[in-house]
Amino acid sequence: MASGTETSGSGDIGRTLELLWDTGRRPSRGPRPGLTLERIVEVAVGVADRDGLGAVSMRRIATELGTGTMSLYRYVPGKGELLDLMLDRVQRPSENPADLGDGGWRAALEGLGHATLALYRRHTWLLEVNQSRPVLGPSALDGMERVLARIKPMGLTDPELVSVIVMIDGYVVGAARTQVYEREAERRSGLTDAQFWAAQGPVLVEAMSSGRYPVLSSLSEDAFGTGFDHFEFGLQRILDGLEVLVASRRAADGPAAGNGSAAPEDPA
């Protein structure tokens, strides 16, 4: 995984929006009739999945497609615009974290958390992109629309509803980064996770026996084991906190607003 960070919205924003929403002029038929913007983006995502975002360049994509580099510029101005198209591409319904099935708002957010984690694990290069200012395409807006429709019954204000999505995404990004970095460390070092910690075993045993760390030494043997699902534990506690907030808002709104809302998950 490359250490550099790319930034969404780094290209020509107007041109990117034209490409995302298909409002710009289409290129005339050239020497490669089979070459399309869709195919270019698809190949770019494949390169990033295999070799990291740093491997994505107009020259590399052209080589993968068996065409000249200049041919690509008839479809997309450069890597900045291509990156935004790639970001929107991986959020399509087939991979979209907003495809959450049926259920109430808690089930929707739980599904969002797990699906987003899976998305980052499939496309680890997403962690290399600063998406603080995304260029919004149809896939991104479709996903936001679906999530908001499902969590609207929470009864929160509009800024709070958006904040709920930001909260889940922030939690998942942190967890995904840890998991991806663990895999990367194992690949680069050649040591499995078990081998890495076993190498520190003798020193840690001695440290725990010194009396300097009474709380740490009192922990059970499985305290740092791999059997505990830290991601699921954290996600459920976030949802528990939101349950309390939703319940308090309904109580404050009075009996009329709470009729039929005893269950924490109202269907959207």
Side-chain angles (χ1 to χ4, degrees):
M1 185 173 170
S3 57
T5 299
E6 300 281 354
T7 302
S8 60
S10 60
D12 183 324
I13 297 175
R15 182 67 179 124
T16 299
L17 288 170
E18 288 179 349
L19 294 170
L20 284 169
W21 292 96
D22 195 21
T23 59
R25 179 179 59 84
R26 292 176 177 270
S28 59
R29 183 178 295 274
R32 286 291 306 275
L35 188 61
T36 64
L37 180 62
E38 172 77 13
R39 179 62 179 151
I40 292 170
V41 175
E42 179 184 339
V43 169
V45 169
V47 170
D49 287 345
R50 293 191 304 272
D51 301 324
L53 194 56
V56 177
S57 67
M58 300 298 275
R59 183 188 297 269
R60 171 69 183 276
I61 303 307
T63 300
E64 295 278 335
L65 289 166
T67 188
T69 304
M70 295 307 297
S71 297
L72 301 189
Y73 290 105
R74 299 176 58 250
Y75 294 85
V76 59
K79 185 176 178 180
E81 295 82 4
L82 179 59
L83 175 60
D84 288 318
L85 296 174
M86 293 166 62
L87 293 172
D88 199 66
R89 172 65 180 83
V90 299
Q91 295 179 73
R92 283 187 175 180
S94 60
E95 299 187 84
N96 201 322
D99 290 341
L100 306 175
D102 299 323
W105 66 261
R106 177 163 182 148
L109 291 177
E110 183 176 1
L112 176 65
H114 284 285
T116 304
L117 179 64
L119 179 70
Y120 277 101
R121 295 186 69 173
R122 282 195 303 273
H123 307 291
T124 58
W125 54 271
L126 288 170
L127 296 171
E128 302 174 50
V129 184
N130 176 353
Q131 298 186 59
S132 59
R133 298 198 304 180
V135 180
L136 298 176
S139 295
L141 291 187
D142 285 348
M144 181 71 77
E145 175 71 16
R146 290 169 183 168
V147 174
L148 286 173
R150 293 287 302 281
I151 68 175
K152 189 74 171 176
M154 294 176 75
L156 305 182
T157 66
D158 291 345
E160 289 171 338
L161 289 174
V162 173
S163 187
V164 166
I165 298 175
V166 172
M167 182 193 315
I168 297 295
D169 185 69
Y171 172 71
V172 174
V173 168
R177 181 173 287 112
T178 298
Q179 292 184 13
V180 170
Y181 283 4
E182 285 175 348
R183 296 207 308 264
E184 181 70 5
E186 181 172 324
R187 184 186 67 81
R188 292 195 176 191
S189 68
L191 295 175
T192 66
D193 203 49
Q195 290 171 329
F196 175 80
W197 291 110
Q200 301 184 60
V203 172
L204 293 177
V205 168
E206 185 174 344
M208 293 303 104
S209 302
S210 68
R212 183 174 177 176
Y213 308 101
V215 178
L216 279 170
S217 62
S218 71
L219 296 179
S220 62
E221 292 184 2
D222 64 346
F224 296 99
T226 59
F228 189 83
D229 191 339
H230 294 283
F231 174 79
E232 184 65 19
F233 180 82
L235 179 61
Q236 293 303 324
R237 301 299 72 77
I238 291 174
L239 299 179
D240 287 346
L242 290 172
E243 291 258 23
V244 173
L245 175 62
V246 170
S248 67
R249 289 291 173 82
R250 287 175 176 166
D253 288 341
N259 285 341
S261 61
E265 293 189 7
D266 291 338

